[in-house]
Amino acid sequence: KAGVTQTPRYLIKTRGQQVTLSCSPISGHRSVSWYQQTPGQGLQFLFEYFSETQRNKGNFPGRFSGRQFSNSRSEMNVSTLELGDSALYLCASSLSPFNEQYFGPGTRLTVT
Amino acid sequence: EDQVTQSPEALRLQEGESSSLNCSYTVSGLRGLFWYRQDPGKGPEFLFTLYSAGEEKEKERLKATLTKKESFLHITAPKPEDSATYLCAVQGDSNYQLIWGAGTKLIIKP
């Protein structure tokens, strides 16, 4: 079974730009969660989607948004990028919100 | 407030030197406690789920145990390839969102 895939793997953007990251979950998984990871902050929860509905949202500004499609694939968008948005963005999928999560390799975003 | 604390922050061991990592938690109604391993620059890799106090799970040199207040990840005769950051997360019954610890960075010296 293929694992969670994330595209792109690496991205360099300039302050003020916007970016869209994509996540394809494991086949059959309907829940997708997004995390931001920086060296000093560990794993920070962004949001969780299940059956196209946002179930939970972390404490991030409105510049961070996401959505889930009917095939469970998910995208997250960050508008008006700031230097502090440089991080590893991780997507995780699970059968449902009650099951263990399986992570993708992440997208390394660098904002200059 | 739901909370997870992992200790120590970092642990250096010699190859073959067994030890334990700790994950202390406070959560309303534990639904599950999860252990993950993360290598630098990669996504976390799922290891175990524990559901109730007294439960134990093993995988190769790793053994996870659970009490009502904490979980331990025991590493027996570790090898350098066990070097990684080990993350713990709990899921409560309020909204099922995972609460993550900061991790323990484990370094095994040959």
Side-chain angles (χ1 to χ4, degrees):
Chain A
K1 216 175 203 182
V4 178
T5 58
Q6 293 186 244
T7 56
R9 293 292 313 281
Y10 303 92
L11 205 50
I12 300 175
K13 290 287 189 178
T14 303
R15 269 183 306 175
Q17 289 185 315
Q18 75 164 15
V19 66
T20 299
L21 311 182
S22 180
C23 172
S24 292
I26 293 171
S27 177
H29 285 194
R30 295 168 60 196
S31 181
V32 173
S33 297
W34 288 90
Y35 296 89
Q36 181 194 67
Q37 189 174 41
T38 56
Q41 296 297 319
L43 270 177
Q44 300 295 311
F45 172 72
L46 281 158
F47 22 67
E48 177 193 9
Y49 289 90
F50 178 65
S51 295
E52 301 178 68
T53 300
Q54 187 180 88
R55 285 192 66 252
N56 285 308
K57 189 177 190 304
N59 190 24
F60 277 82
R63 300 185 296 108
F64 292 80
S65 63
R67 58 179 175 169
Q68 186 181 33
F69 302 96
S70 58
N71 61 359
S72 294
R73 192 176 67 86
S74 178
E75 289 182 346
M76 68 162 282
N77 184 78
V78 188
S79 63
T80 319
L81 284 165
E82 301 177 358
L83 293 179
D85 296 332
S86 295
L88 181 67
Y89 289 87
L90 292 161
C91 166
S93 77
S94 56
L95 281 170
S96 78
F98 317 117
N99 297 96
E100 67 276 5
Q101 296 180 359
Y102 294 88
F103 284 81
T107 294
R108 172 72 63 185
L109 172 65
T110 302
V111 182
T112 62
Chain B
E1 182 185 346
D2 297 345
Q3 193 171 354
V4 176
T5 303
Q6 292 189 246
S7 62
E9 287 185 14
L11 182 61
R12 291 176 180 268
L13 300 172
Q14 287 292 138
E15 183 173 0
E17 181 184 1
S18 301
S19 187
S20 297
L21 313 183
N22 178 265
C23 172
S24 297
Y25 64 90
T26 54
V27 66
S28 58
L30 179 71
R31 283 190 56 89
L33 185 143
F34 305 86
W35 281 100
Y36 286 81
R37 167 199 170 121
Q38 185 175 26
D39 294 305
K42 297 186 177 181
E45 174 190 347
F46 170 70
L47 293 173
F48 305 109
T49 307
L50 301 168
Y51 294 102
S52 57
E55 188 175 1
E56 300 182 351
K57 288 196 177 172
E58 290 188 65
K59 180 180 180 179
E60 297 180 359
R61 294 176 292 281
L62 300 176
K63 179 180 176 181
T65 61
L66 180 64
T67 72
K68 288 187 177 180
K69 294 183 178 180
E70 58 192 349
S71 177
F72 292 94
L73 186 64
H74 307 278
I75 302 175
T76 303
K79 299 181 178 182
E81 54 262 41
D82 294 321
S83 297
T85 295
Y86 290 84
L87 298 166
C88 167
V90 298
Q91 185 179 58
D93 62 9
S94 56
N95 67 358
Y96 311 116
Q97 180 183 325
L98 288 184
I99 308 299
W100 291 85
T104 293
K105 184 174 183 178
L106 177 66
I107 300 170
I108 308 298
K109 297 176 286 183

